[in-house]
Amino acid sequence: MANPLVEVINVSYTYPGGIKAINGITMTVEQGEFIALLGQNGSGKTTLAKLMSGLLKPDEGMVLIKGKDIKDLTVSERASIVGYVFQNPEHQIFASTLYDEIAFGPRNLGLPEEEVKRRVDEALKIVDLDKPLNAFPHLLSVGEKHRVAIASVIAMKPEFLILDEPTTGIDFKRSLQLMRILLKYRENGGSIMMITHDLYLAAEFANRVIILKDGIKIADGPPEKVLVNEELLTEAGLAPLQVTLLADKLRDYGFSKNIIKTMDFVEKFIDVHRRK
Amino acid sequence: MHKLDPRAKIIWAVVVLAFSIYNGNYLLSPIYGAVIYASVIIALIISRPPAFWLKLVGILTVVVLFFSLIFWPASAPRGGVPILTIPILGWSYTDLVLNLALSKAFLVLSPIIAVITMLTTSKPGDLFQALVRCKVPYKIAYIPILALRFLPTIINEVKLIIDAQESRALNLRKGNLPSRLRKYVTIFTPLMIRMMKSAIELGVALDSKGFGLSCQRTFSKNLRWEFRDTLFLIFGGLIYVLGLIFCIMPFVR
Amino acid sequence: MAAAIEIKNLWVRYRGEEDYALRDVSLEIKEGEFVLLTGPSGCGKTTLCYTIVGIVPRVIKAEVKGSVSVFGLDSFKTSPAELSQYIGIVFQNPEMQLVTSSVYDEVAFSLENLGFPPEEIRRRIREVLDIVGLKGLEDRSPASLSGGQKQALAIASVLALRPKIIILDEPTSQLDPQGTRRITDLILKLKKDFKVSILAVEHKVEWAVNHVDRMIVMDNGMIKMQGRPAEIFSKKIDVERYGFRPPQVSEIAYKLLERGVILPSIPISLKDAYEIFRRVLEDGKSACRSN
């Protein structure tokens, strides 16, 4: 059996100021997963993501990337397997042309220029950005900048893509657009971990939900199990989706409270309704 | 030190600066510089600042002393008795040269430490009020407060940008100087853009809070000059004047 | 009820831009109303807010046509000092709108700038910190607060001027669910207990629909829809176009309609949905029984 993509083994991390952000977390990421990482601000989500991408090194425990200790990998090796998209694209965009911006990652990996060109074109296609290659990235709209940031990371063809709150501060239309891009990415074989506060998106798109609280995992499983556990959600400062609460209220009519998706509720309703 | 009116501390820092700049033959005796230096160090230590500042001052002292011993000998008077020789480097210092170097070092360090003490023992809001009461226009006086407020924010932004670029395989530690400089552009450009945007946001926020609307501004907590502030200034002033006289005396007689 | 905000035929074009950010916007907000303003990014929501309080064109230069008045005062001609006693604005990013080194100083800031007497300032600070739930944290630095606390502080510093209307520009977009709850509770408290009119710009509408008097949906610089939430959601919302997600219960209703289920009305709250769906299922049952 092939090595899992990422293995986090009993990892702990304390920030220089003394705050213990991660207190013994163990988890694995396999190929083809779409993980939603939830939890309050300060629960350790970003710290965990940075540990998994190598931006931080654990104080205790190990992080393995495809079987190798992340400490033994070079910056390039790490970046070509684990991609990290930050929340605000303005923290990355520096180049004077769209091409150079997206080519930055592949060039840093030392790829030949023809390969770089191929990757830039492919990345632009995946994020559906139809702008000239010499466009000035800073003048693009907010939504376009988000896509540039994602494209510039996807161009390195990482097998594991981490996104830190990609839908915070953008409207819902763009959020759906982003989800479509991620699904396309996953179709091509990638795994995704998305840090988010949006339970709706987690329910509709993720196939695994992990909840952190005070640096430890308090939940790790399929959304149908995790997002219907009201006690767990409350502990994490979250609330169940309307559809779950509604299904629970209608339990006398045959609904179970394990419903987290709009369409599942609709199907069940039609089913119950038709039976009459 | 914390309880003193910031105006007293500002005056103290200015006085230290004045005494430090003042140039005279007394420079040939390091005692004067040492007295001022000792006074500011004592002031700093009794205000018990976070360890970071003490470490910084320690490092600064060593660095300034070191550079002093290198550069000042060039403008020292000739002659004098050699008293210090550093074996390996073969440098030789006369007493005159040594006095000058030490003196200058102390006088460079003292105003800096006085300002550090002032900043770490006063609340920014109080310092601001003190400056305005000393007739500094409040729009200018507020600039250091904004700097203090946003310094941690800016540092966080820089860290974020470095992380973002590192996750795109940027290795800042590798490479020769020209390639490293090019790499720093990828940090610098987003930082500048973020700062410009933030400056606009900040300007809008300040405006919406009425900043700069009128020339007069009230303060919710008024600073009060207490007797201990006067005492502090008299006492401090006495030390410096006495020190000055003590050093000048040998030359006057 | 008097008109708190009155906008007539407003056109706004930023300096150096070709397109108008706001096109022929006319709007009236009455005293005591709670209005939700939404629409896709770039539709002009923020521009509208900034223009109402006069930031556009005074601070951010723009070409402006039409009129905006707040309680009868012309937003373009009235001094910000006077205007700020009627209307306040809380910005989206908690970080860049906290400009002092302590919670206490932050609330005092506007009052001091406007020359209020010290005793009055001290009284209002105590009052306002209590309302927003930051009592006891006077000496904390803004940087040490959580996101929700930062926004609460921003609201407090606006509240200290006792405005009659507060505009909140996406106040919860940068917050986690707990912070969002804190701010939404505070907003509701301001509306109910302190009779402050609220104009909130939000993408997340689920929490607001039960409490707002009116919703305004903008697109491309114009007002496309306005009315009570129940009216707005009675027709299927084109999410792709308007950029906000309707309440999930409404979304469920739209999908059921598509599949031929007959519903008496479209629910916008959990309670509505339970009543409506239960009745449909019951009627289905009884219809069957009567057969």
Side-chain angles (χ1 to χ4, degrees):
Chain A
M1 202 175 63
N3 276 319
L5 215 40
V6 180
E7 274 175 280
V8 176
I9 303 172
N10 205 9
V11 155
S12 293
Y13 183 83
T14 306
Y15 277 101
I19 305 170
K20 192 159 197 185
I22 301 287
N23 197 352
I25 291 189
T26 298
M27 58 173 279
T28 310
V29 179
E30 306 280 352
Q31 293 266 5
E33 294 199 87
F34 191 143
I35 302 172
L37 183 59
L38 304 169
Q40 278 176 48
N41 285 353
S43 58
K45 310 187 296 293
T46 301
T47 311
L48 179 61
K50 288 190 177 174
L51 286 165
M52 288 167 95
S53 70
L55 287 170
L56 292 174
K57 306 284 191 293
D59 296 330
E60 290 162 37
M62 285 198 297
V63 175
L64 301 178
I65 307 280
K66 288 178 109 166
K68 294 203 207 110
D69 191 332
I70 204 170
K71 291 194 186 127
D72 299 330
L73 297 174
T74 64
V75 172
S76 292
E77 283 169 337
R78 276 190 266 134
S80 58
I81 305 178
V82 182
Y84 196 121
V85 180
F86 283 76
Q87 187 183 335
N88 190 343
E90 287 178 350
H91 286 134
Q92 298 176 224
I93 298 180
F94 71 94
S96 37
T97 67
L98 186 58
Y99 184 84
D100 285 333
E101 185 65 44
I102 300 179
F104 182 64
R107 281 183 183 150
N108 282 338
L109 294 178
L111 296 170
E113 201 60 30
E114 320 90 63
E115 176 64 17
V116 170
K117 171 109 187 39
R118 215 173 316 148
R119 293 209 180 181
V120 170
D121 288 334
E122 206 182 317
L124 284 173
K125 225 177 269 152
I126 296 181
V127 305
D128 205 16
L129 190 61
D130 186 22
K131 289 272 161 175
L133 288 176
N134 62 356
F136 193 54
H138 298 290
L139 292 181
L140 297 174
S141 75
V142 172
E144 288 163 343
K145 282 193 191 141
H146 269 93
R147 282 180 279 163
V148 169
I150 297 172
S152 68
V153 174
I154 291 183
M156 294 191 290
K157 292 204 164 186
E159 289 171 67
F160 182 43
L161 192 62
I162 301 178
L163 299 112
D164 197 339
E165 291 197 45
T167 62
T168 295
I170 67 175
D171 68 27
F172 189 64
K173 173 172 84 176
R174 295 242 185 79
S175 300
L176 286 182
Q177 211 173 43
L178 173 68
M179 292 299 115
R180 280 196 283 269
I181 295 173
L182 293 180
L183 289 178
K184 225 192 285 183
Y185 179 78
R186 197 172 156 215
E187 267 166 44
N188 294 351
S191 285
I192 298 169
M193 183 167 87
M194 179 172 77
I195 299 178
T196 186
H197 292 306
D198 195 330
L199 257 71
Y200 179 89
L201 293 177
E204 295 283 335
F205 297 98
N207 72 342
R208 182 175 166 196
V209 172
I210 299 178
I211 305 185
L212 294 190
K213 185 183 177 193
D214 296 330
I216 56 173
K217 254 198 311 178
I218 60 172
D220 184 351
E224 314 80 70
K225 290 233 168 62
V226 176
L227 295 179
V228 301
N229 186 335
E230 203 164 340
E231 284 145 32
L232 201 61
L233 290 175
T234 314
E235 210 189 317
L238 304 164
L241 291 162
Q242 269 191 345
V243 70
T244 310
L245 295 171
L246 186 59
D248 190 36
K249 278 184 126 114
L250 292 171
R251 68 187 99 89
D252 293 334
Y253 297 86
F255 285 85
S256 74
K257 74 170 222 183
N258 289 1
I259 298 185
I260 55 167
K261 291 194 194 181
T262 304
M263 280 320 290
D264 289 345
F265 183 95
V266 170
E267 295 298 336
K268 180 74 184 175
F269 190 97
I270 306 247
D271 193 43
V272 170
H273 191 57
R274 293 253 166 85
R275 270 198 250 124
K276 310 282 163 60
Chain B
M1 282 300 292
H2 287 270
K3 298 216 190 83
L4 291 174
D5 189 312
R7 281 169 293 186
K9 286 179 265 191
I10 294 176
I11 295 176
W12 171 63
V14 171
V15 163
V16 169
L17 184 64
F19 276 91
S20 301
I21 295 177
Y22 179 69
N23 235 330
N25 285 334
Y26 64 84
L27 280 179
L28 292 176
S29 160
I31 295 181
Y32 177 67
V35 163
I36 299 192
Y37 181 74
S39 75
V40 298
I41 285 287
I42 292 173
L44 181 64
I45 292 177
I46 62 173
S47 37
R48 278 191 257 134
F52 164 74
W53 293 108
L54 292 170
K55 270 187 253 174
L56 182 69
V57 166
I59 295 174
L60 209 58
T61 306
V62 170
V63 168
V64 171
L65 272 171
F66 178 70
F67 280 102
S68 240
L69 289 171
I70 297 181
F71 291 116
W72 283 111
S75 42
R78 303 275 145 205
V81 180
I83 52 174
L84 178 67
T85 311
I86 298 176
I88 303 170
L89 295 162
W91 290 341
S92 162
Y93 292 99
T94 64
D95 59 344
L96 292 175
V97 169
L98 205 56
N99 287 345
L100 180 66
L102 284 175
S103 212
K104 281 289 184 184
F106 288 139
L107 293 176
V108 163
L109 287 167
S110 300
I112 298 174
I113 298 174
V115 170
I116 290 176
T117 309
M118 177 180 80
L119 289 176
T120 56
T121 61
S122 323
K123 284 200 209 155
D126 294 339
L127 263 177
F128 171 54
Q129 198 184 144
L131 283 172
V132 174
R133 293 277 192 93
C134 295
K135 304 288 191 236
V136 177
Y138 83 81
K139 279 195 261 189
I140 297 178
Y142 205 67
I143 294 173
I145 312 290
L146 284 175
L148 278 171
R149 154 75 182 100
F150 287 106
L151 200 61
T153 309
I154 297 176
I155 293 176
N156 270 332
E157 289 277 298
V158 175
K159 282 195 199 158
L160 249 165
I161 294 173
I162 292 179
D163 275 347
Q165 307 300 40
E166 195 183 311
S167 64
R168 292 203 283 165
L170 178 76
N171 196 337
L172 285 171
R173 275 154 283 193
K174 245 178 37 188
N176 52 22
L177 195 60
S179 77
R180 280 217 217 170
L181 282 173
R182 256 181 286 129
K183 288 179 184 181
Y184 278 102
V185 169
T186 66
I187 309 287
F188 191 71
T189 311
L191 182 64
M192 281 299 110
I193 294 183
R194 289 287 305 149
M195 290 188 64
M196 286 196 286
K197 287 203 168 184
S198 302
I200 296 176
E201 275 183 65
L202 179 61
V204 170
L206 283 172
D207 175 86
S208 75
K209 293 175 197 266
F211 188 75
L213 277 179
S214 74
C215 298
Q216 276 291 69
R217 192 184 191 275
T218 55
F219 292 94
S220 64
K221 279 189 284 200
N222 278 326
L223 296 177
R224 274 198 326 244
W225 187 271
E226 312 252 328
F227 180 59
R228 60 171 168 229
D229 298 313
T230 321
L231 208 61
F232 169 72
L233 282 183
I234 294 179
F235 187 62
L238 264 170
I239 297 183
Y240 300 142
V241 171
L242 285 175
L244 190 64
I245 294 177
F246 185 71
C247 293
I248 292 181
M249 270 183 1
F251 299 97
V252 169
R253 291 298 148 80
Chain C
M1 279 193 286
I5 299 176
E6 211 176 323
I7 303 172
K8 292 204 180 106
N9 305 107
L10 181 64
W11 292 77
V12 174
R13 176 163 59 177
Y14 287 111
R15 198 191 273 177
E17 295 277 318
E18 261 188 59
D19 289 328
Y20 279 88
L22 291 179
R23 300 163 210 268
D24 205 15
V25 172
S26 293
L27 177 62
E28 201 183 284
I29 295 182
K30 300 203 177 57
E31 198 175 342
E33 271 198 289
F34 181 1
V35 178
L36 184 66
L37 178 58
T38 189
S41 301
C43 68
K45 313 187 290 290
T46 299
T47 305
L48 184 58
C49 295
Y50 282 14
T51 312
I52 295 175
V53 296
I55 291 174
V56 168
R58 189 169 40 88
V59 180
I60 301 180
K61 302 294 175 205
E63 177 200 317
V64 174
K65 287 188 275 209
S67 76
V68 178
S69 64
V70 174
F71 284 103
L73 301 168
D74 185 331
S75 287
F76 308 145
K77 301 215 179 75
T78 314
S79 78
E82 211 190 325
L83 213 53
S84 66
Q85 312 219 30
Y86 290 91
I87 187 165
I89 181 165
V90 176
F91 302 96
Q92 187 178 7
N93 188 354
E95 194 61 37
M96 293 319 292
Q97 67 186 312
L98 299 177
V99 301
T100 63
S101 309
S102 79
V103 167
Y104 186 93
D105 286 343
E106 190 65 44
V107 184
F109 194 69
S110 313
L111 296 166
E112 291 175 344
N113 285 332
L114 294 171
F116 277 73
E119 185 50 56
E120 178 67 20
I121 297 180
R122 286 195 283 267
R123 186 166 1 123
R124 291 197 186 189
I125 294 176
R126 275 193 300 268
E127 191 184 292
V128 144
L129 286 180
D130 195 28
I131 296 174
V132 305
L134 290 174
K135 195 159 86 159
L137 299 177
E138 284 85 352
D139 290 326
R140 290 272 291 273
S141 76
S144 69
L145 299 175
S146 73
Q149 286 173 321
K150 281 183 185 156
Q151 275 300 43
L153 179 56
I155 294 176
S157 77
V158 165
L159 211 53
L161 290 163
R162 301 210 179 131
K164 291 177 151 187
I165 325 166
I166 298 185
I167 299 184
L168 299 121
D169 190 359
E170 295 194 49
T172 66
S173 76
Q174 307 289 334
L175 305 180
D176 65 6
Q178 203 179 48
T180 300
R181 252 197 312 278
R182 186 196 182 116
I183 295 305
T184 53
D185 286 346
L186 179 55
I187 294 175
L188 294 175
K189 184 171 162 184
L190 292 178
K191 160 90 199 306
K192 289 206 185 84
D193 301 342
F194 297 92
K195 309 283 188 272
V196 181
S197 311
I198 310 259
L199 173 61
V201 177
E202 267 290 3
H203 288 304
K204 305 178 208 158
V205 306
E206 225 171 65
W207 67 273
V209 292
N210 291 317
H211 306 283
V212 302
D213 298 303
R214 210 173 7 137
M215 252 181 85
I216 300 175
V217 181
M218 285 181 74
D219 186 22
N220 218 357
M222 298 184 274
I223 295 183
K224 291 293 175 172
M225 293 189 271
Q226 56 174 308
R228 286 181 303 111
E231 288 164 21
I232 301 261
F233 291 113
S234 62
K235 293 183 291 292
K236 178 168 176 200
I237 297 283
D238 184 359
V239 166
E240 289 291 313
R241 187 158 161 220
Y242 293 118
F244 66 92
R245 178 171 70 83
Q248 197 168 28
V249 295
S250 312
E251 203 190 357
I252 293 172
Y254 300 144
K255 293 262 168 5
L256 288 175
L257 286 178
E258 265 171 38
R259 301 282 286 267
V261 177
I262 301 181
L263 299 171
S265 62
I266 306 284
I268 56 171
S269 73
L270 189 59
K271 188 156 151 277
D272 285 350
Y274 174 59
E275 290 302 326
I276 293 173
F277 293 159
R278 192 180 59 90
R279 199 160 347 130
V280 172
L281 291 174
E282 280 292 328
D283 291 347
K285 251 201 233 161
S286 49
C288 214
R289 252 184 255 130
S290 62
N291 284 348

